[in-house]
Amino acid sequence: PVDHILDAPVSYDNGIDERGERNIWEPGNYTGEFKGEVTLLQALVHSYNTSAVRVAHITGIPAIIDLARRVGFSSPHIPNDLSLALGSANVTPLEMASAYSVFANGGLRIKPYAIRRVDTGAGEVLEQYGPDLAQAIPEEIALSMRSVLMEVVRSGTGTRARVPDYEVFGKTGTTNEFTDAWFAGGLPGLVVVVYAGNDDNKSLGKTATGGVIAAPVWQSFVSKAVKYLTLRETFEISDTAKVDAVTICKDTGFLSV
C-alpha cells in the first residue's frame, strides 16, 4: 500500500479498428484531474483510474483474471485487456459478495449457497449444506487489503458507508455515463453488496456515483442488520497472521514519527 505509482495521463495504442481508424485508449479520472506521484493507498482510497490501469499493466491481466477466479468470479464476461482494471467485467452482486468475503475471512473464500437444510414432514434430514471454505489468497494479503479498504470508508469515496462503532471496509464503483453504481463491503461477520442501475441501462443521473447512490443504501441496511445480529465491532487477527500494525503518513507512505 505504501509503494508509489503515477496518477497522470496515459494512453494505449490498440491498433487499427474495424473502421480502419487508429484505436487509442486514454483512461481518465472522474474529476478530470491528476495528482502525480501517489501511494497505492491514495490511489485506491480516492479511485484514481490511471493508477489502477498502470498497476494492471505492471501486474499483467492473466494474473488478475486468475485471482478473480480464485476469489469467486465465475462470469464468462471478464475481458482480457487493461479495461479490466476499471471494472469492465460483467459480474453479479452475488459474485461480488463472494469475492469481498475473502477480505473479511482472512483470505478464505466462501462458496455461496441458498439452502441450508431439507427436512421431511417427520423431521428427517434429507439434505444439509454448510459453508464450503477454500484459501483463495494468503491471510497476510487479505488483511493488508482489508486495511486499505477500511481507509476507503474512513476518508475516501466510501465515507457514506460508515457504521458508528464498527470497523467497516469497502469500495465504491461507478460506470461510464453513471449507468451503474456499486458499494461492496463488510464489517466483522457480515458482507453486503448494493447495486443500483436501470433495466434499460439509462443513466442514473449526473454525479450518481457509487459513493452517492449505493453507499447510503448499504449503510442504512447494515446499520439495521447489526441491531439484530450479534457481531463483533472490530476484526480479529489470528495468531498465525504474519503482519504488524504500523502508523504511516497517508500522503507519503512513510512511517509516522
Side-chain angles (χ1 to χ4, degrees):
V2 299
D3 282 347
H4 287 216
I5 194 80
L6 272 180
D7 173 40
V10 63
S11 63
Y12 295 92
D13 187 345
N14 293 322
I16 304 299
D17 62 20
E18 62 275 5
R19 296 174 298 179
E21 299 177 356
R22 180 68 65 180
N23 182 358
I24 304 295
W25 184 51
E26 297 180 325
N29 291 332
Y30 168 70
T31 62
E33 300 176 345
F34 303 97
K35 300 297 183 179
E37 184 178 340
V38 297
T39 63
L40 295 180
L41 174 66
Q42 287 175 301
L44 189 76
V45 166
H46 299 292
S47 294
Y48 297 156
N49 289 338
T50 67
S51 297
V53 172
R54 281 184 165 90
V55 171
H57 196 182
I58 294 169
T59 304
I61 296 302
I64 296 174
I65 293 176
D66 175 67
L67 175 62
R69 297 304 185 198
R70 282 188 280 127
V71 299
F73 290 108
S74 57
S75 169
H77 307 295
I78 296 182
N80 187 24
D81 59 57
L82 287 173
S83 70
L84 179 60
L86 305 182
S88 59
N90 288 316
V91 300
T92 68
L94 184 61
E95 288 176 283
M96 291 289 282
S98 175
Y100 271 72
S101 72
V102 170
F103 304 129
N105 297 324
L108 290 170
R109 174 201 168 189
I110 299 179
K111 185 178 180 180
Y113 64 98
I115 299 172
R116 292 186 177 182
R117 195 171 71 189
V118 179
D119 295 349
T120 67
E124 179 186 357
V125 178
L126 296 179
E127 295 183 57
Q128 190 165 353
Y129 303 93
D132 183 4
L133 302 177
Q135 194 76 41
I137 60 177
E139 184 179 15
E140 292 78 12
I141 299 298
L143 298 182
S144 179
M145 192 67 199
R146 187 174 72 207
S147 176
V148 173
L149 292 171
M150 287 169 64
E151 192 62 35
V152 172
V153 177
R154 281 196 295 259
S155 65
T157 58
T159 54
R160 290 180 175 87
R162 294 174 184 163
V163 178
D165 301 322
Y166 286 86
E167 288 187 339
V168 178
F169 73 91
K171 186 69 185 75
T172 56
T174 309
T175 58
N176 294 344
E177 310 302 330
F178 304 103
T179 55
D180 308 276
W182 293 80
F183 188 82
L187 43 71
L190 180 66
V191 169
V192 175
V193 174
V194 170
Y195 166 80
N198 291 309
D199 288 342
D200 58 5
N201 210 36
K202 286 183 178 179
S203 174
L204 293 168
K206 191 175 181 180
T207 73
T209 64
V212 171
I213 299 296
V217 178
W218 190 98
Q219 197 276 345
S220 178
F221 171 79
V222 173
S223 293
K224 291 180 174 62
V226 296
K227 296 178 180 178
Y228 295 93
L229 302 172
T230 303
L231 304 175
R232 293 175 53 88
E233 295 180 351
T234 59
F235 286 99
E236 288 184 297
I237 298 178
S238 71
D239 295 334
T240 60
K242 299 176 182 178
V243 294
D244 291 314
V246 296
T247 302
I248 64 166
C249 170
K250 65 181 181 181
D251 293 324
T252 65
F254 299 141
L255 287 174
S256 177
V257 293

